[in-house]
Amino acid sequence: NMLERGGTKILPVVPQLVIPIKKALNTRDPEVMIITLKVLQALVLSAEMVGEALVPYYRQILPVLNIFKSSNLNIGDAIDYGQRKRNNL
């Protein structure tokens, strides 16, 4: 709700959000990480220039995601319904 109505007030707060995002990702709990990534997507889409404001903090956020980049299951031609529900890392 705050992201929808924040408008121009979101951009100045982005640096303060990096530490809680980093802590949530460092838990390495898949459920917490999924929620954090959804919030991060909503944050970037909520206002202009938010994505660009996160660029200096990529070194803090991306290494944790690197651990999970190969965690997708190879299930052949079966369907992973977690993708449809956006529940896979």
Side-chain angles (χ1 to χ4, degrees):
N1 193 14
M2 293 170 72
L3 291 177
E4 294 171 1
R5 300 179 187 201
T8 59
K9 297 178 182 178
I10 296 173
L11 190 59
V13 181
V14 169
Q16 297 171 6
L17 297 176
V18 172
I19 293 174
I21 289 171
K22 182 181 173 186
K23 285 184 180 181
L25 292 174
N26 278 334
T27 62
R28 298 185 180 164
D29 179 20
E31 292 180 14
V32 174
M33 290 185 68
I34 289 169
I35 293 170
T36 304
L37 290 174
K38 287 180 183 178
V39 169
L40 199 55
Q41 284 178 336
L43 177 67
V44 169
L45 294 174
S46 65
E48 293 184 18
M49 301 297 293
V50 173
E52 288 84 352
L54 286 171
V55 171
Y57 304 103
Y58 279 176
R59 286 188 173 191
Q60 296 175 7
I61 297 172
L62 293 179
V64 180
L65 299 177
N66 194 24
I67 297 168
F68 292 94
K69 75 177 181 183
S70 62
S71 67
N72 278 342
L73 299 174
N74 184 4
I75 56 174
D77 59 350
I79 297 173
D80 181 15
Y81 289 103
Q83 291 178 350
R84 182 182 68 187
K85 297 176 183 176
R86 294 176 42 193
N87 287 338
N88 65 337
L89 289 174

